[in-house]
Amino acid sequence: MAHPLTDISVLDLDGRSVRLGSLWEGRTAVFVFVRHFGCLFCRQQVADVGAHLDRIRATGADVFVVGNGTVEEARAFCDERHPAMPVLTDPTRRAYCAVGMRRGTGTVLRPSVFLKALRALAAGFRQTRPAGDPLQQGGVVVMGRDGVERYRYVGEYAGEIG
């Protein structure tokens, strides 16, 4: 049976449809699902992954950032942050739902979120207006070149994986 992400399509920065299953054909694909493109935790998360990108690529894996805003919001994120990995967007959040990423008010309104936000601010990361669904949480999914999921992490609350 095919993985739930196999036939889900997202958009690249030019608005072209990209079938997620095509991204792990012949190589391992690491999908970093971010909350939304304006999120300070997501900016921190992408910077943290970027710091390890050479090591990840040395294993034969490619890393893809998946957000859920519009193509324009994804482009603005890239123009500001200049990530060294492809950025895709899933405005329908179908991929998020397919892999069980959490969403809800309880995932953002926690005392721990405010403490993490203070730490992220102190590290130089800034929140901008929501650019996607602010109640959506992120995570990581690693797909092997054979289409078998090797790892899945589902964030429980905002800032948990930032």
Side-chain angles (χ1 to χ4, degrees):
M1 183 168 165
H3 189 275
L5 291 178
T6 301
D7 291 321
I8 292 178
S9 291
V10 296
L11 302 173
D12 68 13
L13 297 180
D14 293 319
R16 291 182 301 235
S17 181
V18 176
R19 190 177 62 83
L20 290 175
S22 71
L23 299 177
W24 64 74
E25 292 173 356
R27 63 185 179 258
T28 298
V30 179
F31 296 103
V32 178
F33 287 86
V34 297
R35 295 186 55 238
H36 64 83
F37 292 116
C39 171
L40 80 160
F41 302 124
C42 302
R43 293 160 186 256
Q44 185 177 29
Q45 179 184 15
V46 169
D48 289 347
V49 170
H52 300 284
L53 201 51
D54 289 339
R55 285 186 20 222
I56 295 168
R57 287 182 175 154
T59 69
D62 286 330
V63 179
F64 302 90
V65 174
V66 180
N68 63 72
T70 66
V71 170
E72 293 75 21
E73 290 167 331
R75 262 195 242 122
F77 174 83
C78 289
D79 290 346
E80 180 187 336
R81 306 306 305 171
H82 307 289
M85 59 208 100
V87 174
L88 305 165
T89 190
D90 177 20
T92 64
R93 296 181 23 262
R94 282 187 61 220
Y96 286 81
C97 294
V99 291
M101 296 297 164
R102 290 184 175 88
R103 182 186 179 282
T105 306
T107 66
V108 291
L109 298 177
R110 294 177 171 214
S112 60
V113 172
F114 297 108
L115 293 174
K116 290 201 177 256
L118 291 175
R119 287 189 198 118
L121 286 166
F125 297 96
R126 299 292 177 257
Q127 177 76 34
T128 63
R129 67 174 183 78
D133 184 343
L135 298 181
Q136 180 64 59
Q137 297 308 308
V140 176
V141 174
V142 178
M143 294 299 299
R145 67 187 83 212
D146 54 3
V148 174
E149 184 178 302
R150 304 291 184 209
Y151 176 81
R152 183 186 306 191
Y153 177 80
V154 176
E156 290 188 35
Y157 56 87
E160 180 184 24
I161 54 179

